[in-house]
Amino acid sequence: MAGALLSAIVERLGSLISSEFKLTVTVKEEVQKLETKFRTIQAVLNDAEKRQLKEEAVKLWLDKLKGVSYEIDDVLDEWNTVMIKAEIEKQQKEFEEEEKAETSTAKKRKVWTITPNFNFSVPNLLQHLDIAHKIKELTEKLDEIYKERETYGFELSRPIEEVVERPKTTSYVDVSDILGRDKVKDDLVSILLGKGTEKEKCPHVISLVGTGGIGKTTLAQLAFNHHEVKDQFEKRIWVCVSEPFDQCKVAKAIIEALAGGDPKITELHSLLEKICELIGRKKFFLVFDDVWTEDYAMWKPFRDALKNCGSQGSKILVTTRKDKVAKMMESANTIKLEELSEEDCWLVFSKIAFFDKDPQQCEQLEDFGRQISKKCKGLPLAAKTLGSLLHFKKSREEWRNVLNNNLWELEDVERGLFAPLLLSYYDLSSPLKRCFSYCAIFPKDHVFYVDELVYMWTAHGFVESKGNVEVEIMAQEYFENLVIRSLFQECREYIQFGTRYKMHDIVHDFAQSITEAQHLGYTIGSQFPPSTDRSKNLRTVIFFNHGDYNMSNLVQNFSRLRVLTLQFGMELPDTIGNLIHLRYLDLYWCEERFSCGKWVLPETICNLCNLQFLRLRHVPISQPRILPQGIGKLINLRLLIGYNLVIPRGIGRLTSLRTLNGVLISDEDSKGCKLEELKILHHLRDLSLYFNKGDSPIALAPNDRRIQSNVLMLNALEPPQGLEKLRISKYVGTTMSPIWLASLTNLKELYLGHTIELMSLPPLGMNPCLESLTIVFAHRLKKVGVEFLGIESKNKKEDMKIFPNLKYLTFYGLFEWEEWIGGTRGGKEDKDCITIMPCLQKLKIHKCGKLKSLPDFLRTTPLKELEIGDCQIIKKRCRRETGEDWHNISHIPIIKLADDPEVMTWEINNDLP
């Protein structure tokens, strides 16, 4: 971690020296001294970080180095903040002057830039003296550390070059799911499918017991997702329990799995009653993954409640490392997982390590590979981790270095698992080390979305810039690199909520062992606030549970924060604007501040001039959210998401914005942003708009003024042409054909939701990049015809491709939809003229009960999956061999004809923040 931190500091120092900052000679000299010393120390850090594992003195030396590094980072950030504030003041004056001079003819607004003009934005002499004094003090501290390094005789080493290899589509990270576990998997599934008897306790408890990293969770996942198990149980629930055992948290997780929402209940008895209500008398299968507690009193309330609900044959599966837990939970069956055989462990290792290597290369490396796989001691996680590491190593010398590495000599609690993880960790580049170790902040078994983590990494500056590549894209590549090294794993439970990830509990333990105290996550039972000494150095504070914490002293305690997440019931203090280093602010169900029936953010938030990510998630959706009038001062903002956001004038100054989600488009507020301001947000890639506040509108009268108003407002919009994702919700116009839609030639994803009055779809077929299209709740739409394709007869020409790149198409809740005509006019198909959807891979049609048939062009598409739900006419026409539409879909490998309302949960809710 010290190496990763120093790399970032050296980069910042170098940038400061070479920038346009008008530094005094004194400041520049001190900065250059710092940079030189850091570069010298950097050369010995690889050796120092490895030796700290056995030498306490080296560890203390590294701790001092990290302490000074963080102090320097803060000083550099303070200097940068002074520069930014000076530029904001300059822009604000120009903005105010323009507002005064503006007439009713609406002058063309200036395109704002965030590139500081340092000829005008120059800190004064006192500020130069202040930073010079601070840097000199820190240089003296570093001098002592610099001299001390010589006493340890560190070896010089070169930094690891970052290699980002994107994962292949035929992912190999799951090969250990079944290798060596066929018999035990079959035994477990057999027990689960057993009907049970009247004498048998209900629910029937089965325990999987084994050491960490041996594959208990993987085996439980295989059983949970087995097709026969899915058919057997009406309710399937997966809950990660972990340590400490929090009864209310576990109960809430069960409710969330059953109902899809976070219950706002705090009493355990009420939570258990809700669980029984949701299960009813249905047969359920409940997995308690990673149980540690041996306290029967903690388990008994669940046992008693679950006995009184569910039908005969319900099952509970427990995974644990402890035999005592299996006994405490009164398991009827206990399956003990043993280590893999030497040959099975080799198969797990080799299939990952040798993936995509030629046979001759594999033969040359096999002798070292078999010796390395023996060191895994039969543990699948160790085999996967080392296999993933050596997948990137091509030469015998590199494999020999891993085999003979002295890290194998370490004695670890988890039976040697930390040695493979350390080998993988030290093979990472400096940025990847920081990104990985940062994840120790999450509680064990915490499930997260990739975007959430990517934004935090970016906020901390962990991600190195690379040419013109967006930093968020680089961060995504970092994440993919860590996934293919088996340091993250995909969470397969409840995939309808989108793809989420977590860390294996052993990997999490390892991350915690190497992380620093600058990042803290708070759960129920955590001490808050921490000691004063620790608080002042914190960079991250995340509250994972709501609580009654007093946030009035937040700023005083955590003045150096870069990332802050507040939870349900916590109030954002007015002093939030004093957190000058803050880059990421997430307000999740925070305490409401109401003014005239509207939710309002404090104006002081506009003082956060370094803020890059602002997330206002899941505040009550019936009320507009009023953003501060000075929002235009946040010139570094890259992401702003919420719901029903009322944005004031000045949004056009936020030229760093990449994502703007949840904007309320309304003609009621004369002080709101001008629609044309969106056009000058040239970096904007993701935009979502809401045309009506509150709940989805019901059917409107034909003369309702909102219909015409929505059409006019939509036509007046001019999103930037570089837009890649667009979501439009609650639009009540009858038509949707704005001129600007054709100019969005980079658009890849389009979502139209709750467009209840829409009578025809917009012409989208000629969009060259569109890959995903979702239409949800267009109640009045009766026909999808040639207008949807975006062509007229007179414009047809040979070899024309319609929707040339569309891969995913979804229709949901089109209750009046009867006809889908594609590529036909007057019933005759123009086969020689056009090709429709030549890249289509997945088609979903749900709750479209009046749709009479599927279009003929589907038989020429390369569809891989078709999903029909709650569409009785189409379902009948798609029956194998006998259905009237079977000839159009018979080539599709996966056809799902289901009436499960949960299948579309993710799609219909993806317009929520």
Side-chain angles (χ1 to χ4, degrees), residues 889-901:
I889 65 169
S890 59
H891 66 291
I892 303 173
I894 301 173
I895 299 176
K896 298 178 182 178
L897 303 178
D899 295 318
D900 184 357

Side-chain angles (χ1 to χ4, degrees), residues 552-833:
S552 59
N553 296 322
L554 177 76
V555 176
Q556 182 180 346
N557 288 328
F558 307 125
S559 60
R560 297 179 181 177
L561 283 184
R562 268 68 170 173
V563 171
L564 175 63
T565 296
L566 301 183
Q567 276 282 349
F568 177 77
M570 304 178 77
E571 184 175 353
L572 187 69
D574 285 322
T575 52
I576 187 69
N578 294 331
L579 293 176
I580 63 168
H581 301 288
L582 200 66
R583 263 82 169 167
Y584 176 103
L585 178 60
D586 190 346
L587 307 178
Y588 183 79
W589 280 101
C590 278
E591 188 71 23
E592 300 88 359
R593 290 164 169 249
F594 286 102
S595 174
C596 301
K598 298 176 181 178
W599 191 86
V600 182
L601 270 179
E603 194 70 31
T604 52
I605 206 169
C606 301
N607 295 332
L608 302 175
C609 62
N610 286 302
L611 195 66
Q612 296 177 330
F613 305 95
L614 178 57
R615 307 178 79 191
L616 311 171
R617 301 183 295 151
H618 292 287
V619 287
I621 63 176
S622 60
Q623 298 293 338
R625 282 102 195 127
I626 309 299
L627 294 181
Q629 288 298 312
I631 195 75
K633 297 177 183 178
L634 302 180
I635 61 175
N636 284 305
L637 204 62
R638 301 176 71 88
L639 174 139
L640 173 58
I641 63 173
Y643 192 89
N644 279 353
L645 299 179
V646 177
I647 298 180
R649 295 188 182 190
I651 189 71
R653 296 167 65 191
L654 305 184
T655 53
S656 293
L657 269 181
R658 269 66 175 172
T659 301
L660 178 58
N661 284 351
V663 178
L664 179 62
I665 303 296
S666 172
D667 59 359
E668 297 178 4
D669 188 0
S670 60
K671 294 183 180 180
C673 76
K674 295 186 175 180
L675 299 181
E676 63 266 26
E677 285 190 80
L678 296 175
K679 185 178 181 179
I680 59 178
L681 300 177
H682 296 301
H683 293 293
L684 194 65
R685 297 292 178 264
D686 186 344
L687 175 66
S688 76
L689 307 169
Y690 296 85
F691 278 79
N692 289 277
K693 59 191 177 184
D695 298 326
S696 299
I698 57 174
L700 303 180
N703 60 349
D704 193 300
R705 76 161 193 90
R706 285 177 289 178
I707 295 176
Q708 184 61 21
S709 172
N710 274 205
V711 173
L712 292 174
M713 287 191 293
L714 182 67
N715 291 338
L717 280 171
E718 289 189 65
Q721 294 185 6
L723 205 65
E724 295 178 359
K725 297 181 182 179
L726 175 63
R727 286 178 293 282
I728 296 176
S729 297
K730 301 184 181 179
Y731 172 79
V732 295
T734 54
T735 61
M736 185 184 285
S737 300
I739 296 173
W740 52 260
L741 194 58
S743 69
L744 300 182
T745 53
N746 293 309
L747 194 67
K748 294 179 179 178
E749 296 182 24
L750 177 61
Y751 174 94
L752 305 177
H754 302 275
T755 53
I756 60 166
E757 297 294 324
L758 195 64
M759 303 183 75
S760 62
L761 293 179
L764 298 168
M766 301 307 293
N767 188 296
C769 294
L770 191 64
E771 296 178 0
S772 175
L773 175 61
T774 302
I775 315 291
V776 172
F777 293 130
H779 294 179
R780 292 205 176 190
L781 188 69
K782 292 187 176 182
K783 179 180 176 181
V784 174
V786 291
E787 76 288 342
F788 178 51
L789 304 181
I791 58 172
E792 297 292 338
S793 292
K794 61 182 179 181
N795 294 327
K796 289 184 181 179
K797 52 188 177 183
E798 290 185 11
D799 300 324
M800 181 180 287
K801 291 184 178 180
I802 308 301
F803 290 104
N805 279 299
L806 191 68
K807 296 176 182 176
Y808 309 103
L809 178 59
T810 297
F811 296 101
Y812 185 94
L814 279 62
F815 302 122
E816 300 298 323
W817 185 23
E818 297 178 0
E819 289 185 85
W820 185 3
I821 303 171
T824 65
R825 189 170 286 277
K828 182 180 179 181
E829 187 168 4
D830 301 313
K831 297 179 182 178
D832 299 329
C833 275

Side-chain angles (χ1 to χ4, degrees), residues 477-491:
E477 292 189 359
Y478 283 13
F479 183 82
E480 290 169 3
N481 197 315
L482 294 173
V483 169
I484 61 179
R485 290 171 183 267
S486 300
L487 297 175
F488 294 124
Q489 60 189 43
E490 187 176 331
C491 183

Side-chain angles (χ1 to χ4, degrees), residues 251-271:
K252 286 185 175 184
I254 295 173
I255 293 171
E256 187 174 352
L258 289 166
D262 182 15
K264 298 299 179 282
I265 307 172
T266 57
E267 295 295 327
L268 178 61
H269 180 74
S270 301
L271 289 166

